[in-house]
Amino acid sequence: MAVRAAVAEDAAAVQAIYAHHVAHSTATFDTEAPDEAFWREKIDAVVARGWPFLVVERDGEVAGYAYATQFRDRAAYALTCENSIYIADPQRGAGLGSILLAALVDAAGKAGFEQMIAVIGGGEPASVALHGKLGFVEAGRMRQVGMKFGRRLDTVYMQLALHR
């Protein structure tokens, strides 16, 4: 398995991974998955800003992706990023998330970010556990702010200082 910078040609794999999570999980509150063109543009835009967009490969296939973007558009948030991480469903539980998130934390610090925020849709227990394993602490919870699959869902905020 290997972690590397994403390239535009990874858009199809990223789209497929995300589409599965849109259709089957509450990790994202999206109800319709963006197409491959959206992901190609997203990869290009993130990389153009000097921010990390990473993929993890297993057996030569993209098995997950993660990226960090500025938390909010206002200049005051320039040193704070929000992460996004998704693992292909068949690869979940194999330790790829820990490897990928650790690489993202490192890359985000090198990109100049000082704080990383995880916004965890549905308070997904696996995502909360993954982030906790890497030192993130819960910074807040918005209760019942989402609705998906007929369920009211919380959003959990977790935070990590990147320059300790």
Side-chain angles (χ1 to χ4, degrees):
M1 101 186 62
V3 176
R4 63 169 174 79
V7 294
E9 289 75 22
D10 294 320
V14 168
Q15 192 279 334
I17 291 167
Y18 190 71
H20 177 84
H21 286 276
V22 169
H24 300 285
S25 83
T26 59
T28 173
F29 286 177
D30 274 340
T31 55
E32 292 187 30
D35 63 13
E36 182 180 337
F38 168 88
W39 285 107
R40 184 176 296 275
E41 291 172 16
K42 179 79 167 185
I43 292 166
D44 288 344
V46 171
V47 171
R49 296 287 305 260
W51 299 335
F53 198 126
L54 307 175
V55 296
V56 61
E57 290 183 328
R58 187 171 193 187
D59 299 326
E61 300 289 328
V62 173
Y65 70 90
Y67 62 88
T69 56
Q70 188 172 314
F71 177 62
R72 297 284 186 263
D73 291 337
R74 293 177 185 93
Y77 291 111
L79 300 178
T80 301
C81 64
E82 177 179 342
N83 76 14
S84 187
I85 180 169
Y86 290 91
I87 303 297
D89 191 59
Q91 303 293 337
R92 293 177 65 207
L96 299 177
S98 296
I99 292 165
L100 184 56
L101 186 54
L104 184 68
V105 164
D106 182 60
K110 289 177 180 171
F113 290 116
E114 295 180 1
Q115 298 288 326
M116 182 176 280
I117 307 296
V119 181
I120 302 173
E124 287 287 318
S127 188
V128 169
L130 168 63
H131 285 85
K133 180 179 175 181
L134 289 167
F136 285 75
V137 295
E138 188 168 325
R141 178 181 293 261
M142 296 190 316
R143 299 190 186 284
Q144 299 184 3
V145 295
M147 174 71 86
K148 191 169 179 184
F149 305 134
R151 296 173 36 213
R152 295 189 188 282
L153 301 164
D154 294 355
T155 297
V156 173
Y157 285 78
M158 296 185 79
Q159 183 174 353
L160 177 70
L162 300 178
H163 299 287
R164 293 172 249 185

